[in-house]
Amino acid sequence: MKMPSLSKTLRIRRRSKLFRMSRFEKAVVFLLILLSAFMLLPLVYIFNHAFKPYEELFVYPPTIWARNPSLQNFVELFHIASDSIVPVSRYIFNSLAVALLSVIVVTGVSALCAYPLSKHKFPGHKLVFGAIMLTLLFAPETVAIPRYLVVSQMGIMNTYWGHILPMVAVPVGVFLMKQFVDQIPNELLESARMDGAREFTVFLRIVVPVILPAVATIGIISFQTAWGNIETSSLFMQDEEMKTFPFFISTLTTNMANNVARQGEAAAAALFMFIPNLIIFLVFQSKVIATMAHSGIK
Amino acid sequence: MSESNAPILENRHAAGSAAAVRAEGRMARLFKEIWRYRLSYLFIAPFMICFVSFIMIPVVSAFLLSFMSYNSLEPPRFIGWTNFRYMVSEDLLFLKYALPNTFKFAAIAGPCGYIASFLLAWLISILRSGWRKWFALAMYSPSLMGAVAMTIVWLPLLSGDRIGYLNSILLEWGLISDPILWVTSKEHLMTSMIVVTLWSSMGIGFLAMLAGILNVNPELYEAGKLDGIKSRLEEIWYITIPSMKPQMLFGAVMAIVGTFKAGSIGTELSGMNPTPQYAGHLIMNQIEDYGFIRFELGYASALSVFLLLLMYLSNKFCWGLFGSKEDE
């Protein structure tokens, strides 16, 4: 008897809230559009800069939109590079190889580690997880010097391993994946074991499909890190042939402050760095948000 | 326990051997336990090997090296607290520039970026779900740029001559009469660094908080309304923040680590190393300076230990703010 009246009041309240919201919502949309303009303006401008022909870079007052878009900057970017000892295709190949390999290795290794940490109560699991949480609070970049010593002792300088291995241990990755594995009910794992599934089969057939959003997120993060990383190139690689594309760009742009001459090429290079990240993020965006819901530290 | 009549000596002997047997048994049981879980150890082994060799060993050896004098040619020599004493009393570059600059940079860029991420995430969460995606992408896009590309994006905007976009706009509006050296003068470099960092601070922490806000149980808001919460501000304070504390903490940890590890931004923006009159000199720059240019690895390690401690303490502080000890 009470139900209809309750639902009625609820409906009225909701409608009135909706009405009030829509005005508020408009203000929020307006504010957010302004803020996004601030965030996006540099990107819009770099996009145009990359397509500006040489003369337009020096125009005063500077313009945002390219009037006669051309590919001159991209051509020139590859041209300077072919003059140098190492062709630019080599840098790009290195970057792609390092980025793809580290995505595969990081996601695989983190998932393998997250599963027992969450579901097997092996002796010392608390200690291991505690250590990982503790390093979440640190940035490994701060200890670059001992890292350099470790890498040189291991003899992986100037190899692809030198690019990948130091980047494999991502505490955030294991942490996020463990949060996801925590959600899998133990009964599900138990019943699979009863049916005679081995641990590795359980991992592949049950755990991996459930944590797929987290795998995608960590994959994106590690791709971005590896794709934009110059630390390994500048510290662990002495061979010019083993360095990556972002490192090449950073040599291009040193002393670029107050120097317009190479801005077009630099913008083209920046665009080239940005596009893969953007595409990958767009494809997996919903997965990322779903994963981040479980990012809380308790 | 039961044999109260037995001679004391024998009793003690028996107890001793029983303890020994028990200890042995415990060891054996531990080993058996470890053996039983051998597969688990195999699973975590690849990660742990990398974790230990590239994170644990470097952190531990940084602690050890900070008490030594080491130039990478001669073997390290133990010198006690000398490095730290030098740091707090004689290293003028550190005391006059690196330390205050880092504090200033971290104290402004860290909290502001963090609060901005929260507010933006909250504003976005109000919208309809179709819109959210695009605004979230717009806010996150600077993080997709990556560090190298970021400076390329900002340099022409902040360029010191009249061709720089900011200067040209300000000149046109008549706000300034001469172009301002945004990145190459000591007065403005720090401001530019902070603005650029804020611009790119909507990173993984922002996404976490957005997801956290979207996951707050809507029934809580209804209940809150019945309990007399009137304004949206009260709603944020009494419902949203308490129910997404874990994500707030995650965001805070990411923000702290991100701001303290910043180092290259000053040199990249100004295009000079060291930055003009050390205006953008941060602790990370000081570490690189001593580590890779002067090869005083011991002292550089002492600096990184100091930085690690700073990170740890700030994180502990945030833990106190957002950590879930007892639910209120």
Side-chain angles (χ1 to χ4, degrees):
Chain A
M1 289 156 269
K2 268 187 178 173
M3 285 304 275
S5 71
L6 185 70
S7 76
K8 209 176 184 181
T9 50
L10 263 183
R11 203 178 306 139
I12 288 166
R13 181 174 295 145
R14 199 174 298 147
R15 198 181 296 149
S16 71
K17 188 176 136 200
L18 206 74
F19 184 70
R20 192 151 43 89
M21 238 269 296
S22 75
R23 196 174 213 180
F24 181 69
E25 222 181 17
K26 267 179 213 153
V28 168
V29 169
F30 180 69
L31 190 64
L32 275 176
I33 287 176
L34 280 185
L35 287 168
S36 328
F38 171 71
M39 302 301 271
L40 287 178
L41 206 63
L43 300 179
V44 170
Y45 134 83
I46 201 85
F47 194 79
N48 278 283
H49 223 58
F51 289 102
K52 273 182 196 168
Y54 204 60
E55 320 83 70
E56 268 184 53
L57 293 173
F58 296 99
V59 172
Y60 180 83
T63 54
I64 287 189
W65 307 107
R67 264 171 248 154
N68 310 304
S70 78
L71 290 175
Q72 197 183 341
N73 288 321
F74 291 89
V75 175
E76 217 147 296
L77 176 68
F78 284 78
H79 188 70
I80 343 169
S82 64
D83 282 352
S84 65
I85 331 142
V86 182
V88 76
S89 52
R90 174 80 199 206
Y91 291 116
I92 294 177
F93 172 78
N94 284 348
S95 273
L96 277 178
V98 168
L100 292 180
L101 274 175
S102 60
V103 167
I104 295 168
V105 176
V106 169
T107 49
V109 163
S110 308
L112 270 177
C113 179
Y115 168 52
L117 267 185
S118 164
K119 290 298 175 191
H120 298 174
K121 300 285 165 252
F122 60 87
H125 73 277
K126 284 215 174 103
L127 186 73
V128 170
F129 189 60
I132 291 175
M133 286 303 286
L134 189 65
T135 48
L136 200 62
L137 312 183
F138 296 152
E141 286 88 340
T142 45
V143 287
I145 293 146
R147 256 154 86 95
Y148 173 84
L149 298 177
V150 168
V151 170
S152 69
Q153 288 296 313
M154 283 178 126
I156 53 172
M157 290 264 191
N158 293 319
T159 65
Y160 285 112
W161 293 118
H163 278 300
I164 296 165
L165 286 183
M167 297 294 145
V168 167
V170 190
V172 184
V174 172
F175 168 70
L176 284 177
M177 286 200 190
K178 184 193 167 279
Q179 301 293 95
F180 248 72
V181 182
D182 282 347
Q183 326 238 317
I184 305 175
N186 285 325
E187 294 79 28
L188 190 67
L189 301 176
E190 269 319 308
S191 67
R193 281 183 205 128
M194 294 284 212
D195 291 345
R198 292 207 261 138
E199 271 313 278
F200 198 70
T201 325
V202 172
F203 172 72
L204 274 186
R205 291 282 163 79
I206 300 175
V207 176
V208 170
V210 173
I211 64 169
L212 222 46
V215 172
T217 308
I218 306 309
I220 293 175
I221 294 173
S222 57
F223 180 86
Q224 280 175 27
T225 323
W227 181 244
N229 189 6
I230 51 173
E231 192 206 352
T232 53
S233 289
S234 60
L235 293 185
F236 309 145
M237 304 294 141
Q238 282 82 42
D239 277 354
E240 203 55 38
E241 289 201 340
M242 289 304 296
K243 295 187 171 180
T244 54
F245 189 63
F247 181 82
F248 164 70
I249 299 178
S250 71
T251 58
L252 204 69
T253 56
T254 31
N255 299 322
M256 204 183 71
N258 301 324
N259 173 12
V260 190
R262 280 198 166 166
Q263 278 180 9
E265 285 131 47
L271 201 60
F272 193 83
M273 293 292 300
F274 175 64
I275 296 298
N277 282 345
L278 179 68
I279 292 171
I280 294 177
F281 185 75
L282 272 181
V283 172
F284 292 109
Q285 191 179 18
S286 57
K287 299 261 188 325
V288 175
I289 300 283
T291 309
M292 283 313 176
H294 303 286
S295 65
I297 302 175
K298 282 174 190 144
Chain B
M1 278 272 274
S2 55
E3 62 275 287
S4 50
N5 287 342
I8 297 166
L9 194 73
E10 195 179 310
N11 195 3
R12 193 184 292 161
H13 183 74
S17 70
V21 166
R22 222 179 299 136
E24 213 166 87
R26 207 184 297 141
M27 283 305 279
R29 221 176 312 133
L30 186 66
F31 274 120
K32 206 179 272 174
E33 192 88 318
I34 288 177
W35 182 244
R36 197 159 72 82
Y37 282 110
R38 60 194 179 280
L39 210 58
S40 312
Y41 292 106
L42 194 66
F43 269 55
I44 67 167
F47 180 84
M48 289 315 287
I49 291 169
C50 291
F51 181 73
V52 167
S53 39
F54 295 106
I55 297 185
M56 290 305 264
I57 292 179
V59 169
V60 171
S61 50
F63 272 91
L64 294 179
L65 274 179
S66 65
F67 293 101
M68 297 189 189
S69 161
Y70 182 42
N71 57 10
S72 85
L73 297 174
E74 300 158 44
R77 191 162 43 83
F78 182 79
I79 53 169
W81 292 94
T82 313
N83 282 331
F84 290 96
R85 223 174 284 137
Y86 177 76
M87 192 195 308
V88 295
S89 62
E90 282 169 67
D91 187 355
L92 285 181
L93 274 185
F94 173 77
L95 292 173
K96 263 181 84 177
Y97 300 106
L99 192 60
N101 282 344
T102 305
F103 271 122
K104 191 175 165 194
F105 180 77
I108 298 176
C112 288
Y114 180 63
I115 292 168
S117 328
F118 174 75
L119 287 180
L120 282 175
W122 182 73
L123 286 177
I124 288 175
S125 74
I126 289 171
L127 303 178
R128 281 166 217 153
S129 55
W131 295 52
R132 273 181 214 146
K133 194 179 161 186
W134 298 106
F135 281 112
L137 177 67
M139 300 303 163
Y140 188 70
S141 59
S143 308
L144 291 172
M145 249 1 245
V148 180
M150 200 170 79
T151 46
I152 299 177
V153 173
W154 279 91
L155 269 184
L157 293 177
L158 299 174
S159 184
D161 45 27
R162 61 194 191 117
I163 290 184
Y165 283 69
L166 187 59
N167 276 334
S168 109
I169 290 172
L170 291 178
L171 281 172
E172 200 170 307
W173 289 353
L175 293 175
I176 52 172
S177 52
D178 292 308
I180 293 175
L181 298 169
W182 294 110
V183 290
T184 45
S185 69
K186 72 171 180 97
E187 291 85 14
H188 298 292
L189 177 62
M190 186 50 110
T191 320
S192 305
M193 282 163 64
I194 291 174
V195 169
V196 172
T197 309
L198 282 180
W199 176 71
S200 61
S201 59
M202 310 303 147
I204 182 171
F206 161 73
L207 293 178
M209 288 198 270
L210 177 59
I213 296 176
L214 292 178
N215 272 26
V216 174
N217 188 351
E219 283 169 21
L220 283 178
Y221 291 119
E222 290 296 328
K225 218 155 270 164
L226 294 179
D227 280 352
I229 285 181
K230 287 177 212 83
S231 69
R232 278 178 184 277
L233 276 179
E234 279 182 335
E235 213 171 76
I236 296 181
W237 189 252
Y238 291 111
I239 298 176
T240 314
I241 292 181
S243 41
M244 55 171 285
K245 262 187 178 178
Q247 278 87 8
M248 299 285 285
L249 184 55
F250 181 78
V253 169
M254 292 295 126
I256 290 168
V257 173
T259 38
F260 275 118
K261 80 174 181 189
S264 56
I265 179 158
T267 51
E268 270 170 26
L269 277 182
S270 66
M272 292 176 225
N273 189 17
T275 49
Q277 299 182 42
Y278 295 101
H281 200 69
L282 302 175
I283 296 183
M284 276 302 275
N285 302 106
Q286 185 82 348
I287 294 174
E288 274 160 28
D289 185 14
Y290 272 94
F292 294 113
I293 296 172
R294 306 188 200 193
F295 280 102
E296 291 184 29
L297 300 187
Y299 183 62
S301 300
L303 286 169
S304 29
V305 166
F306 179 77
L307 192 57
L308 285 183
L309 284 179
L310 269 186
M311 285 183 186
Y312 180 75
L313 290 178
S314 336
N315 275 310
K316 270 282 163 244
F317 174 71
C318 287
W319 222 269
L321 282 182
F322 298 116
S324 53
K325 284 154 278 176
E326 268 85 43
D327 273 336
E328 295 130 287

